[in-house]
Amino acid sequence: MARAWRRGELAHRFDTAMPDRPARPALPELLPPNQMPRRGKGGSERGRIALLHALAHIEFVAIDLAFDMAGRFGGAFPRGFTDDWISVGADEAMHFALLDRRLKSLGSHYGAMPAHDGLWESATATAHDPLARLAVVPMVLEARGLVVTPETIARFKSAQYDTSARILSRIFTDEIRHVRAGTIWFEFACAAKGFSAESHWRSLVSRYFRGLIKPPFNDSARDSAGLTREYYQELAPV
């Protein structure tokens, strides 16, 4: 789809309603987050495979989130918005393919374990408002990866899981770009409406994000993505 879009083979038209939920494969079994089996911190071979499976699931849902962003809200923005989110979706598909290939090399595969169904809740809660979607999905959920991913890379390296660490290093580089896309379009929309981007972001996150914005933050990576401390410092618990 991304290739067809770049070649001009798809119309920039938004006359079909997006589904409430994307189609899903039969596996993995999707469970509420509080019913997921504990996987530990990846200290064993089994734990590392479970961690890779969880990461593959995040990337799989991220494909849906990116294309839903383009399809649901693209008509309200300049064409560059759709360009960016289709590109993000293509990145997420590549990330998923790398992780699934890694799982198969370790004797597993995506769908071999249950996965939690909490990620799509954010899409459902923000389906009516592109600013809320941008505030929560790229600027909170994906921004979390700017802290979690380097920590996971370090754990994989210490366990001599070098292939997995290289995959996550590639994902981390792309995550910065994805958060930047979210921040740029959020600020564009806020400027068009006369909103203060930082204060409006805090208001939307308080309303639509079920959780805490808590340190550590990896300020340098967030700064590279344009998500400066003025956004999130006031929400962090003391």
Side-chain angles (χ1 to χ4, degrees), residues 144-208:
R144 277 179 165 179
L146 302 182
V147 173
V148 174
T149 304
E151 293 174 349
T152 308
I153 291 168
R155 292 208 301 272
F156 279 152
K157 284 182 175 179
S158 69
Q160 298 183 327
Y161 253 47
D162 293 336
T163 300
S164 301
R166 285 194 297 272
I167 292 169
L168 292 194
S169 294
R170 170 61 189 271
I171 291 173
F172 177 70
T173 299
D174 290 341
E175 281 174 340
I176 293 175
R177 190 171 68 256
H178 299 173
V179 176
R180 185 186 302 123
T183 304
I184 286 171
W185 286 112
F186 183 81
E187 291 179 345
F188 172 89
C190 283
K193 292 178 179 292
F195 297 156
S196 163
E198 292 88 349
S199 62
H200 193 56
W201 180 83
R202 289 191 293 271
S203 173
L204 292 169
V205 170
S206 297
R207 192 181 315 163
Y208 295 110

Side-chain angles (χ1 to χ4, degrees), residues 123-138:
T124 301
T126 59
H128 64 292
D129 183 355
L131 278 167
R133 176 69 63 85
L134 289 164
V136 172
V137 174

Side-chain angles (χ1 to χ4, degrees), residues 40-101:
K41 294 188 177 181
S44 64
E45 176 84 0
R46 180 179 175 83
R48 286 188 286 272
I49 290 173
L51 177 55
L52 286 168
H53 189 279
L55 294 171
H57 179 65
I58 289 170
E59 298 298 335
F60 192 99
V61 178
I63 302 168
D64 293 328
L65 289 168
F67 281 100
D68 189 82
M69 183 86 82
R72 189 176 299 275
F73 302 120
F77 287 86
R79 184 188 175 93
F81 179 91
T82 307
D83 290 339
D84 281 350
W85 294 108
I86 287 180
S87 177
V88 169
D91 286 346
E92 309 293 17
M94 181 268 292
H95 299 165
F96 170 78
L98 291 171
L99 289 164
D100 187 44
R101 187 183 310 157

